[in-house]
Amino acid sequence: MLEIAVFLCGAVVMVIELTGSRILAPYLGTSLVVWTSLIGVILASLSIGYWWGGRLADRRPEARLLARIILISAFATAFVVMIKTFVLGFLQAQSGGLHLTVVSATLLLFAPPSILIGMVSPFAVRLKLQDTRTSGRTAGNLYAISTVGSISGTFLAGFALIPVLGSTNILLLMAAVLVVASLLVERSHTSIKIVTGTVFLILLFLALGYDKKMAAEGFVDVDTPYNRVLVFNGKEKSTGRVVRIMSTGPHAWQSAMYMDDPSELVLPYTRFYRLAKYFAPDMQRLLVLGGGGYSFPKYVLENYVTVHVDVVELDPGITALARDHFGLRDHPRLNIIEEDARTFLNRNVEKYGVILCDTFNSHYAVPFHLTTVETMQRIKASMPPGGVVLINLLSAIEGDRGRFFRALFSTCASTFPRVMAFAVNNPDDPFLWQNIIIAAFVSEAEPLVPSPDLDIAAMLANRLEPPVDSDIPLLTDEFAPVDRYVFSAW
């Protein structure tokens, strides 16, 4: 029974770590900073637990004490559910910088249960130790069992629990599992432990019921294989129209849809994608990297009746939400490819008149491997001589807050003979954090001609002067510090 308890505790700690990324995501994103903090803090917490558990086990090698430690860890895990919204909301409102905020949040939420669970393995070794001649084998066996449990918990969380249950529900389930582990170690106060485990399970079922109720009212909080996604309704300030919103990170809408017209473009940057037809009026094939709520693909299918659209979206959960809540329907001119955009580009042999890159729509999680010279070379190889790629990003234009824009512009310019940029909101404020559209052309010819469309003319008027800074190196697969460029602006 002790070995089973060690296995369960090893599994729980990894489930907590992976689930922690989903708990932090709506407030702090899913960037390298978040993962670094989670891994580092939990490893440090486990180390403290190993040290503390070993010392305590030498003084009081009692199964009853170990069972109590595991039971307390169950309460500490469930307590995260109670305080996570307050802690993350409070820390997000402070001005301590992302690195300090993420480390503080991880320490407050996940260090206590991790320390307590870390105490289990050395304590179990002391309880099993009967002959010093086999002490190495005893310790090795128990730590191996704990590690196998951690491996199992990793795959269980990533492949099954997170996409199905959601973060709050998983923590309550893990608390119940820890109660079971406590019972396996020592069966005193059995009735109390059974009641405690039952309470955690009841809370789990209540939470599941609450999720269903909120979904029925239009608010969806779901963990997909790659993201934590919020879907909810709001009103557009300027018009009062009801809008359905998709968000995968803090301070940003990844997609939006008018409830009274699902194909109309809501977000200003998506309207700039209409430059695709202006720059490539004979466009027949369009490639969109990043599906989200499929706003522009739906617009194309509705308004450009000869254009075939391929959409590369890594996350099948995002596509499912687009089908359920954003009016995405099967269409003979729409092809959805569930794959990483870079992987698709690496093997692609088709030619697209226009490529839209809509994968940089959050300042908390930028996929660096899609910003590099090597990616731009693959994009260029996927277009005919008259092709154009439109890239949406969030950045300022100048100063430290504009380093991502300048780096990406220079990277595009190293591959394409002509590159332009357009500010979505205000081209006259170089330090404003805003959406910027980079347009890179396979042909060297000047593509700009007067447009009778007033909306297109207004977009073209937002053209930016090419950046002149040469202090920022090109982004490559070997070195692309986009996280540093983005986070230094916050």
Side-chain angles (χ1 to χ4, degrees):
M1 294 296 101
L2 184 62
E3 285 82 356
I4 296 175
V6 169
F7 175 89
L8 292 176
C9 291
V12 166
V13 74
M14 289 308 300
V15 172
I16 290 175
E17 181 173 337
L18 290 173
T19 304
S21 68
R22 299 307 179 94
I23 291 172
L24 298 178
Y27 299 88
L28 303 171
T30 57
S31 67
L32 180 64
V33 174
V34 171
W35 276 108
T36 300
S37 299
L38 269 172
I39 294 171
V41 168
I42 289 179
L43 284 175
S45 301
L46 289 173
S47 297
I48 294 171
Y50 297 152
W51 169 80
W52 190 10
R55 289 175 62 88
L56 192 59
D58 283 342
R59 292 200 300 268
R60 294 179 57 189
E62 304 166 6
R64 178 179 298 182
L65 179 57
L66 176 57
R68 289 176 180 173
I69 292 171
I70 298 175
L71 187 62
I72 295 171
S73 72
F75 281 101
T77 301
F79 190 60
V80 175
V81 174
M82 300 174 59
I83 66 171
K84 61 184 177 69
T85 301
F86 169 77
V87 168
L88 292 171
F90 173 78
L91 291 175
Q92 188 186 43
Q94 308 308 306
S95 57
L98 181 64
H99 295 75
L100 178 61
T101 301
V102 173
V103 171
S104 300
T106 309
L107 280 170
L108 290 171
L109 294 175
F110 304 113
S114 299
I115 290 172
L116 291 164
I117 294 172
M119 298 174 70
V120 173
S121 291
F123 213 116
V125 169
R126 180 64 181 85
L127 293 179
K128 292 288 289 187
L129 192 60
Q130 297 177 346
D131 188 343
T132 57
R133 291 176 298 179
T134 59
S135 59
R137 182 187 307 169
T138 300
N141 288 343
L142 286 170
Y143 275 97
I145 290 170
S146 177
T147 302
V148 171
S150 295
I151 295 169
S152 302
T154 300
F155 284 105
L156 180 65
F159 291 172
L161 293 180
I162 290 176
V164 173
L165 287 182
S167 52
T168 294
N169 303 325
I170 291 171
L171 290 177
L172 292 171
L173 178 61
M174 290 303 101
V177 170
L178 289 170
V179 174
V180 172
S182 177
L183 270 171
L184 293 175
V185 170
E186 209 275 332
R187 296 180 183 175
S188 64
H189 303 102
T190 299
S191 59
I192 295 176
K193 294 176 183 178
I194 291 176
V195 169
T196 300
T198 302
V199 168
F200 290 148
L201 290 175
I202 291 173
L203 291 174
L204 169 60
F205 285 113
L206 290 174
L208 288 169
Y210 180 76
D211 289 344
K212 292 181 179 179
K213 178 178 180 294
M214 293 298 292
E217 296 177 358
F219 183 88
V220 177
D221 182 351
V222 62
D223 286 293
T224 70
Y226 296 92
N227 293 280
R228 183 177 175 188
V229 187
L230 303 180
V231 176
F232 53 93
N233 292 342
K235 284 190 176 182
E236 190 176 48
K237 290 183 179 180
S238 59
T239 65
R241 297 171 69 183
V242 178
V243 177
R244 178 160 291 165
I245 300 154
M246 176 187 289
S247 176
T248 59
H251 310 305
W253 294 358
Q254 273 61 50
S255 290
M257 178 188 75
Y258 289 120
M259 297 300 292
D260 58 0
D261 188 351
S263 65
E264 184 179 351
L265 300 174
V266 179
L267 300 181
Y269 85 87
T270 61
R271 296 170 189 162
F272 269 71
Y273 284 156
R274 293 177 57 211
L275 290 172
K277 193 67 172 174
Y278 168 74
F279 288 134
D282 299 326
M283 170 180 63
Q284 295 297 312
R285 300 195 67 188
L286 169 68
L287 174 64
V288 181
L289 304 179
Y294 288 74
S295 299
F296 197 73
K298 289 188 301 180
Y299 177 86
V300 171
L301 296 173
E302 180 76 17
N303 294 278
Y304 307 150
V305 295
T306 63
V307 177
H308 181 94
V309 184
D310 286 353
V311 180
V312 180
E313 170 56 59
L314 173 64
D315 192 340
I318 292 284
T319 300
L321 288 170
R323 292 185 185 279
D324 293 340
H325 302 284
F326 289 85
L328 176 64
R329 300 289 182 265
D330 291 331
H331 195 285
R333 290 187 285 116
L334 174 65
N335 179 37
I336 298 174
I337 303 146
E338 293 180 352
E339 190 173 16
D340 179 83
R342 177 65 182 273
T343 303
F344 172 83
L345 291 170
N346 287 345
R347 64 172 180 77
N348 176 57
V349 295
E350 303 292 334
K351 297 293 184 180
Y352 298 92
V354 176
I355 296 177
L356 303 183
C357 185
D358 194 13
T359 59
F360 310 140
N361 53 8
S362 170
H363 56 260
Y364 280 82
V366 176
F368 82 92
H369 64 300
L370 297 178
T371 68
T372 64
V373 170
E374 292 83 355
T375 298
M376 298 306 151
Q377 291 170 347
R378 291 305 310 155
I379 288 176
K380 184 179 180 182
S382 298
M383 292 188 294
V388 57
V389 55
L390 301 179
I391 303 171
N392 170 57
L393 69 148
L394 281 163
S395 177
I397 300 169
E398 298 180 7
D400 286 344
R401 301 188 77 196
R403 288 194 294 173
F404 180 37
F405 162 61
R406 299 198 302 276
L408 189 57
F409 189 99
S410 298
T411 300
C412 291
S414 72
T415 303
F416 294 91
R418 183 174 292 277
V419 181
M420 302 176 180
F422 303 87
V424 170
N425 298 106
N426 185 357
D428 298 321
D429 187 347
F431 304 107
L432 174 67
W433 186 266
Q434 62 180 312
N435 288 93
I436 298 174
I437 303 295
I438 292 177
F441 301 86
V442 177
S443 171
E444 192 174 357
E446 172 67 50
L448 294 180
V449 295
S451 174
D453 187 318
L454 296 180
D455 287 340
I456 296 295
M459 296 175 195
L460 297 176
N462 280 15
R463 182 178 177 181
L464 301 172
E465 291 296 324
V468 296
D469 298 58
S470 59
D471 60 324
I472 301 178
L474 300 181
L475 302 170
T476 67
D477 285 350
E478 180 67 24
F479 183 68
V482 291
D483 285 332
R484 177 160 56 87
Y485 293 162
V486 172
F487 295 143
S488 65
W490 290 88

